[in-house]
Amino acid sequence: MQALWMILAAFSFASMAVCVKIAAAWFNSSELVFWRGVLGMVFMWLLARHQGVGLRTNYPSMHAWRSLVGVLSLGAWFYAIAGLPLATAMTLNYMSSVWVAAFLVGGALLAWNPRTGPLRQGPHVLAVLAGFAGVVLMLRPTIDQNQVFAGVVGLLSGLISAFAYMQVMALGRIGEPESRTVFYFAVGSTVAGAIGMALTGVSGWTWTHAAWLLPVGVLASLGQWCMTRAYSHGATLVVASLQYSGIVFGAFYSVVLFGDTIAPMGWLGMALIVGSGVAATILRSHAAPDAPAEEH
């Protein structure tokens, strides 16, 4: 059942991305982040209440930092979804595990003393190289010249998501419940979205268009709930690796719903990114066996 919950979570996040892409025709990224935050905040409050988890925290600064980097990643991802083929935007966001592996390699290099022996980061290096090779293969055949900026923003969304994930790990180590962490992320999304709306303006409102905002928040919350259920009995490699089924769902939606054409090099790039992400997840599990779930 844990594996099934993770697949349902990945399906929910991919379905949310479809709604974001459709809604982006009428709403800017700030508005999408705001409404995702509002609905997520309500859902996580109900979930925390059901679990008997209080929302008061002794670590407000850590939650503030996690919310800041998380909102930046979310806004960048929504921008990429609007400007790129859905499969490309989904895959770039799932690069966060590869970025974490890159950070581990960089940290090991900085701390390495040649007198203590050889550097044992070969598997991490291979995972990182495979991931970035996949990015090159995927971006070159699948995006136009006018989509390059959106591609860079999508790549940054994965990078910033890695910073957010490391902060989530830090919160988990000091005993903060995941539902509390996600609740404050939703609060941060709401506040950041409102500030963005104040600066960029609010789009014209029609109920037909606004109807797409509801599934953005509902599907994101459903995905988070399913992911929490998947990890409820402890993280396993199978469950953690199945999060990458979101890329498969994203590719399916991209081709079937939006008529996108993915070149063979693009499919190969996606496969490399999935493989490197799974490898990075496995390698990370050895260093942090009880690592929390990654959010999207």
Side-chain angles (χ1 to χ4, degrees):
M1 286 301 295
Q2 286 178 268
L4 179 59
W5 283 120
M6 179 55 77
I7 292 173
L8 288 174
F11 177 76
S12 297
F13 287 129
S15 300
M16 178 205 71
V18 171
C19 298
V20 168
K21 190 167 185 65
I22 294 173
W26 308 296
F27 301 99
N28 59 46
S29 295
S30 295
E31 292 170 297
L32 295 172
V33 168
F34 173 80
W35 288 108
R36 185 195 187 281
V38 168
L39 295 170
M41 188 167 57
V42 173
F43 179 86
M44 293 312 301
W45 175 74
L46 292 172
L47 180 61
R49 184 175 181 182
H50 174 73
Q51 295 175 338
V53 175
L55 295 178
R56 184 176 179 179
T57 179
N58 295 322
Y59 310 99
S61 60
M62 293 183 68
H63 282 286
W65 173 244
R66 183 267 178 271
S67 295
L68 175 61
V69 291
V71 167
L72 289 174
S73 173
L74 184 66
W77 186 36
F78 282 2
Y79 183 90
I81 289 174
L84 293 172
L86 184 64
T88 305
M90 288 286 296
T91 306
L92 292 177
N93 185 256
Y94 275 84
M95 278 284 292
S96 56
S97 288
V98 179
W99 282 112
V100 171
F103 296 156
L104 291 174
V105 172
L109 285 172
L110 291 175
W112 180 45
N113 185 346
R115 297 176 182 176
T116 62
L119 186 66
R120 303 182 184 278
Q121 293 292 327
H124 287 89
V125 172
L126 290 176
V128 172
L129 291 177
F132 286 110
V135 170
V136 172
L137 288 173
M138 187 165 190
L139 291 185
R140 293 195 60 172
T142 58
I143 68 172
D144 300 325
Q145 288 298 318
N146 60 352
Q147 296 176 321
V148 171
F149 180 73
V152 173
V153 172
L155 193 59
L156 287 175
S157 75
L159 170 61
I160 302 171
S161 180
F163 283 107
Y165 178 72
M166 289 190 294
Q167 186 67 6
V168 170
M169 290 182 66
L171 286 164
R173 282 196 296 268
I174 60 175
E176 285 291 88
E178 185 176 353
S179 54
R180 183 186 298 160
T181 299
V182 178
F183 172 80
Y184 282 112
F185 169 54
V187 172
S189 299
T190 303
V191 173
I195 294 173
M197 289 164 61
L199 296 175
T200 61
V202 179
S203 304
W205 186 279
T206 67
W207 286 108
T208 304
H209 298 165
W212 288 101
L213 296 173
L214 181 62
V216 169
V218 170
L219 288 168
S221 299
L222 179 62
Q224 190 60 54
W225 180 71
C226 290
M227 188 171 284
T228 301
R229 290 296 300 270
Y231 279 82
S232 60
H233 298 291
T236 67
L237 292 180
V238 173
V239 170
S241 299
L242 280 174
Q243 66 180 305
Y244 291 94
S245 61
I247 295 179
V248 178
F249 292 127
F252 174 80
Y253 281 139
S254 189
V255 172
V256 174
L257 296 183
F258 300 104
D260 296 326
T261 301
I262 303 176
M265 286 179 61
W267 288 110
L268 177 59
M270 288 173 61
L272 277 173
I273 291 172
V274 171
S276 63
V278 171
T281 299
I282 293 172
L283 293 169
R284 187 183 66 218
S285 70
H286 298 314
D290 297 320
E294 294 183 49
E295 301 160 16
H296 300 280

